[in-house]
Amino acid sequence: MTTETLIAEYFASGALQGLPRDHFIDGAFTRARAGRAMDTFDPGAARAFHSVAAGDANDVDHAVIAAKRAQRAWGRMKPSARGAILQRAAQLIRAEADRLAVVESLDSGKTLTEAEGDVAGAARCFDYYAGAADKLQGDSFPIGPDYVAFSTREPVGVTAHIIPWNYPLSTAARGIAPALAAGCTVVAKPAEQTPLTALMLADILYRAGLPAGACNVVTGTGIEAGSPLVTHPDVRHVTFTGSVRTGVGVMQAAAPNVTSVVLELGGKSPVVVMADAKLDAAIDGILGAIYENAGQICSAGSRLVVERAVHHELVERLAARAATLKLGHGLRRPDVGALNSAAHLEKVAGYVEAARARGVAVAAGGTRTVDPETGKGWFFQPTILDKVASEDPVIQEEIFGPVLSVQVVDGEEEAVAVANGTPFGLVAGIYTRDFAAAHRMARDIDAGQVYINEYFAGGIEVPFGGNKLSGFGREKGLEALRSYTRVKSVAAKISE
């Protein structure tokens, strides 16, 4: 079915036929052992439109057993053969892109255009790691003429993937693809708010030729399904994307089993705009950095650190542009989609309302709203808070919504100090025509990734992850494969 047909079906009936309802375990959709289900919601309409299995520790154990059983054969498969399966998965993702994008938009609230980009990125992710599967190699060590010494990279075993609700498909792909390329098997637990595309991806992988049990998806809440997965003794690695508080809990829960973890946590990322910057390019970059996915991005450029000479003009132009952005149901391709849940809307609104009560100037937006076509949905206006003090909560804490907080600085040194002035260190953006200054600031800003003159520059090839409270470990790029392999060294005496 085409995108247009799927959209028409949904708006006519309030549902889509053929969506998965059960876990995907050991190569098949499998009912929850306790027989329970939970609703998933359309944020653009603020209504439930489907239900899926509500899993628990028994379902998790079933999935981990299947993954452990499948791991030996998958890990010992010829690497090029593993790569060929991942390549076929990429092809199937592209073939089924219309349905995946519509479901992703519907389940998360993001715009269909954004969802289409996520699906394309997921396919590219499997392309990339398909090519990497047969390029994992060890080293040789010169310890003398009477010895041979070398290392090999082995898969760590069963890996757990806790997937967030803001980028359900693309975050699943960026963890699952390198794990499978390295010869690991997977048990994924998508966020309870957005379970559908992870289930669809597992089915695609199986149809692409992945052995039964190599990729499993268990749906459920963090407490009932996520926690048992992280603490399972047969899980050897956990990749987690989510909040700092939950990430700390994941690390603590994994510790008794000495399970390795990669944590990609929150951010309060600065976009530094110097007086010599090309303002047209900076404005486009800032708007995308904070309003894409309604600001629900760990790496969102949620702080504008601007040199005083261009502050007034830049904020005035940003506010004018923000006021023109069209909000609406994601399937109607607006500029900005819905927030993911009623609870999250309450959180975002609470930050802005408290800031206004403290006297923070609101240069644009600042209020809750709804889909103008239906009067429904969980929406918040694209917002700009101007001239905010460094210690203010909207500077120091992650709002995770379409709220830009502006900090005014005088010169490069202060810009770097302000950029580094939060507990987070995920990404940063820099806009300047001074090439040397840009690279000095990139050197001195404490962040895992720095963008110069284009926010969100890069792609699957570029390692991604945070410093400080933004986590540790890296996803994407060849660097991601390190998390899913362990080094074994062999030394042999060959002299008689």
Side-chain angles (χ1 to χ4, degrees):
M1 298 174 72
T2 66
T3 297
E4 291 71 23
T5 304
L6 290 163
I7 293 171
E9 177 189 341
Y10 177 73
F11 283 134
S13 67
L16 287 178
Q17 296 299 311
L19 295 179
R21 293 188 178 275
D22 299 321
H23 308 308
F24 193 89
I25 299 175
D26 209 12
F29 285 108
T30 305
R31 294 189 64 189
R33 291 190 167 181
R36 296 182 298 121
M38 61 185 187
D39 287 335
T40 188
F41 288 79
D42 169 5
R47 58 175 289 274
F49 73 98
H50 193 62
S51 63
V52 296
D56 58 22
N58 289 325
D59 301 299
V60 168
D61 191 56
H62 182 193
V64 173
I65 288 170
K68 186 177 181 181
R69 184 171 58 244
Q71 200 281 315
R72 181 178 176 87
W74 177 247
R76 293 193 172 186
M77 182 182 289
K78 192 173 180 180
S80 60
R82 290 202 300 266
I85 291 171
L86 299 186
Q87 187 65 65
R88 285 197 292 274
Q91 294 166 355
L92 282 176
I93 290 170
R94 292 189 177 98
E96 300 174 23
D98 287 0
R99 186 171 183 82
L100 284 164
V102 168
V103 173
E104 190 81 332
S105 173
L106 192 55
D107 212 14
S108 68
K110 66 178 57 188
T111 72
L112 182 57
T113 301
E114 291 168 341
E116 288 168 341
D118 292 351
V119 174
R124 170 66 187 130
C125 181
F126 278 93
D127 277 337
Y128 181 83
Y129 288 109
D134 60 357
K135 297 169 184 67
L136 283 166
Q137 56 194 38
D139 291 306
S140 63
F141 310 109
I143 61 173
D146 295 330
Y147 296 87
V148 171
F150 62 93
S151 65
T152 61
R153 287 196 168 271
E154 300 177 337
V156 297
V158 178
T159 64
H161 300 253
I162 309 297
I163 301 164
W165 50 257
N166 59 331
Y167 281 89
L169 181 61
S170 57
T171 307
R174 81 179 188 195
I176 291 172
L180 293 175
C184 298
T185 53
V186 167
V187 180
K189 207 294 286 184
E192 52 262 40
Q193 298 92 336
T194 52
L196 296 175
T197 50
L199 292 167
M200 296 166 72
L201 176 61
D203 179 53
I204 283 172
L205 284 163
Y206 181 67
R207 287 187 282 120
L210 197 70
C215 182
N216 311 273
V217 174
V218 176
T219 54
T221 66
I223 293 173
E224 294 192 322
S227 181
L229 178 57
V230 168
T231 58
H232 199 289
D234 289 328
V235 168
R236 300 313 313 143
H237 173 81
V238 178
T239 291
F240 171 85
T241 303
S243 70
V244 175
R245 181 177 180 180
T246 306
V248 170
V250 166
M251 186 162 54
Q252 292 171 331
N257 294 323
V258 197
T259 302
S260 63
V261 295
V262 165
L263 301 179
E264 199 266 277
L265 307 179
K268 197 69 189 180
S269 299
V271 185
V272 178
V273 179
M274 304 304 288
D276 68 339
K278 295 180 179 178
L279 289 191
D280 288 345
I283 288 167
D284 288 341
I286 294 162
L287 290 169
I290 188 56
Y291 299 136
E292 182 179 322
N293 203 25
Q296 299 168 121
I297 310 176
C298 53
S299 55
S302 55
R303 291 189 294 139
L304 170 58
V305 178
V306 57
E307 207 164 8
R308 192 175 304 278
V310 292
H311 161 252
H312 179 75
E313 178 186 355
L314 185 59
V315 171
E316 186 176 65
R317 291 176 63 184
L318 283 169
R321 286 278 298 274
T324 68
L325 296 175
K326 179 183 176 183
L327 280 70
H329 193 286
L331 294 183
R332 296 192 179 96
R333 297 187 186 274
D335 298 314
V336 181
L339 297 186
N340 185 257
S341 67
H344 190 56
L345 173 60
E346 191 69 28
K347 174 190 171 185
V348 172
Y351 268 107
V352 176
E353 289 161 6
R356 183 186 280 112
R358 290 191 298 272
V360 174
V362 180
T367 61
R368 310 173 202 220
T369 186
V370 293
D371 179 355
E373 289 201 30
T374 65
K376 299 177 181 179
W378 300 313
F379 293 86
F380 198 84
Q381 292 178 330
T383 296
I384 300 173
L385 305 178
D386 196 16
K387 297 181 182 178
V388 186
S390 293
E391 67 276 8
D392 196 277
V394 299
I395 295 294
Q396 294 297 323
E397 300 172 20
E398 186 176 41
I399 300 173
F400 217 64
V403 180
L404 178 67
S405 300
V406 181
Q407 297 174 273
V408 185
V409 297
D410 294 296
E412 179 184 326
E413 184 176 345
E414 187 181 5
V416 170
V418 167
N420 287 335
T422 77
F424 299 99
L426 189 52
V427 307
I430 299 167
Y431 283 86
T432 177
R433 302 188 203 205
D434 186 332
F435 188 78
H439 283 273
R440 284 195 302 271
M441 286 188 282
R443 176 196 65 197
D444 295 338
I445 291 175
D446 189 356
Q449 189 168 4
V450 178
Y451 309 121
I452 297 175
N453 290 331
E454 181 187 325
Y455 208 84
F456 297 133
I460 189 62
E461 303 86 354
V462 181
F464 177 81
N467 303 338
K468 300 191 289 186
L469 289 189
S470 293
F472 56 82
R474 294 295 180 261
E475 298 189 79
K476 301 168 63 174
L478 296 178
E479 190 70 23
L481 294 163
R482 294 180 183 274
S483 302
Y484 302 107
T485 61
R486 59 193 179 200
V487 175
K488 175 180 284 183
S489 298
V490 177
K493 184 178 181 181
I494 60 173
S495 62
E496 294 183 0

